[in-house]
Amino acid sequence: MDERYPFALPPLPYGYDALEPEIGGRTMQYHHDKHFAAYIENLNRLLAGQSAYQKWSLNKLCTDWEELPQDIRQGVRNNAGGVFNHALYFENLAPTPVSSPLAPLSGAIARSFGDSETMKNVLKTAALGQFGSGWAVLCADKGGELRVVKTANQDTPLPLHPLLVCDVWEHAYYLDYQNRRGDYFDSWWRLVNWPRVSHDYEIWMSRRIPVPQP
Ligand code: MN3
């Protein structure tokens, strides 16, 4: 993402209760207005007075945080990742989802997983297998192949390109599902905005830089 300091909280693209009954309005309100907002505020606070790094894009902050001064390094890692992951999370969902991925993503799913159900199971295994807080992510590599990764805390899968992110921090589901992360995953899956995810894959494929031939 190309956004730069000062970062602003993007509005939720639907109403707080638009994803009910799968995800409750209270969860969405706290998740967007408190948790997501806090990552934005913290990142802006960390970068205030750091003019050299205010020019960095969100992507660069997420990938090159090790180059930052010691006193802001870990904070930027956590909060830039939080901004990046949550921006995608809320956009990945929709109140009236289309039930299946569109071409060319559908073809990539067939190549990489066989079918959508298998991909869902691989993603669910990652979501359930992430110990503690983190994310399960469907990613595309530079060649357009798909893969599933899990990340801890607010780490991102960059430089792999994340297409679809499942937040498995308890704040994403505890009010609605308590300890039942698997039930949350199944509900979350029904909300996936496949037209948006498919479009994102198409854009990623069109922007690929050809590998230079020796
Ligand atoms: Mn979250």
Side-chain angles (χ1 to χ4, degrees), residues 31 86 135 154 167 169 171-172:
H31 201 176
H86 285 91
W135 297 76
Q154 292 295 354
D167 190 340
W169 283 59
H171 67 230

Side-chain angles (χ1 to χ4, degrees), residues 12-25:
L12 194 64
Y14 33 76
Y16 295 123
D17 58 1
L19 305 185
E20 291 185 352
E22 282 86 356
I23 299 179

